[in-house]
Amino acid sequence: GAVVSQHPSRVICKSGTSVKIECRSLDFQATTMFWYRQFPKQSLMLMATSNEGSKATYEQGVEKDKFLINHASLTLSTLTVTSAHPEDSSFYICSARGGGSGRSDEQFFGPGTRLTVL
Amino acid sequence: SQELEQSPQSLIVQEGKNLTINCTSSKTLYGLYWYKQKYGEGLIFLMMLQKGGEEKSHEKITAKLDEKKQQSSLHITASQPSHAGIYLCGADKEGAQKLVFGQGTRLTINP
């Protein structure tokens, strides 16, 4: 299947600093990527939809100034958690739609990034 | 309120036994996705269902979507330790692939 990577896989930072997480589609072009967060033992919650070349669309309750999303190319979307605080500690997962060969309806997920804010 | 209900929330079965996980929505869905997740890792795509009454199988896993496109089931035949993990159903409510997930079903396989 199509491969989506995330970097870093784990990050620990001090409160007040900013952290950037990258999401890449390795073998296909993704016009749309999605960012989710997952708290321990809970399900995934959609944060925002990232479209290449345009502004991200945020879900209700997600602060756009805190979670900056950039989708500069068809294979890369970045999520920057600005001025991170301990309550931002979570598991962040991206996904990308498409994969060519008629698989545009499938959605492939990255391995996730565990953020710990001290 | 939970938009997608999964049942059961956890399941422990003996290796070799069959099992079924259910996913129910109060609204008609554009698409229904099944994923498997190991704790602290990403999601592995299993199957996607879009048509009412659709059924798909891959190896020992079969997923069905009912005619009304509001309920799906995931059935595993002759379970193996490799099937252990968290199974998540995700629903595409708007046709834009913005997925809403169920709370997950934690599956344990006892040898």
Side-chain angles (χ1 to χ4, degrees), chain B residues 6 9-10 25 40 48 63 68 88 91 95 100 102 109:
Chain B
Q6 273 186 249
Q9 292 189 23
S10 65
S25 170
M48 177 187 66
K68 290 185 177 180
L88 291 159
V100 173
I109 307 294

Side-chain angles (χ1 to χ4, degrees), chain A residues 27-40:
Chain A
D27 54 357
F28 66 100
Q29 293 184 330
T31 54
T32 303
M33 290 184 173
F34 303 90
W35 286 96
Y36 297 82
R37 66 186 298 181
Q38 184 180 34
F39 291 107

Side-chain angles (χ1 to χ4, degrees), chain B residues 54-102:
Chain B
E54 188 174 10
E55 179 176 324
K56 288 186 178 179
S57 292
H58 177 67
E59 297 181 344
K60 295 185 178 180
I61 300 176
T62 300
K64 301 178 184 179
L65 182 62
D66 74 337
E67 289 290 342
K68 290 185 177 180
K69 297 170 66 175
Q70 289 185 243
Q71 185 166 12
S72 179
S73 62
L74 186 79
H75 185 77
I76 298 177
T77 305
S79 58
Q80 300 172 346
S82 60
H83 288 129
I86 301 168
Y87 288 82
L88 291 159
C89 65
D92 179 358
K93 297 193 301 173
E94 305 171 5
Q97 291 206 2
K98 295 167 63 173
L99 300 185
V100 173
F101 283 90

Side-chain angles (χ1 to χ4, degrees), chain A residues 34 36 38 41 43-44 46 49 59 91 93 97 104-107 109-111 114, chain B residues 33 35 37 39-43 45 48 50 88 96-99 101-103 106:
Chain A
F34 303 90
Y36 297 82
Q38 184 180 34
K41 296 187 178 180
S43 193
L44 279 73
L46 178 65
T49 302
E59 295 301 301
F91 192 56
I93 306 179
R97 184 172 72 181
S104 60
D105 289 335
E106 296 185 21
Q107 194 169 140
F109 283 78
R114 184 164 301 284
Chain B
Y33 296 72
Y35 291 91
Q37 183 184 31
Y39 180 71
E41 299 182 12
L43 277 66
F45 173 80
M48 177 187 66
Q50 287 185 303
L88 291 159
Q97 291 206 2
K98 295 167 63 173
L99 300 185
F101 283 90
Q103 71 273 41
R106 186 177 296 272

Side-chain angles (χ1 to χ4, degrees), chain A residues 5-18:
Chain A
S5 70
Q6 278 185 245
H7 178 78
S9 57
R10 292 177 178 269
V11 57
I12 301 173
C13 69
K14 292 183 179 180
S15 183
T17 60
S18 294

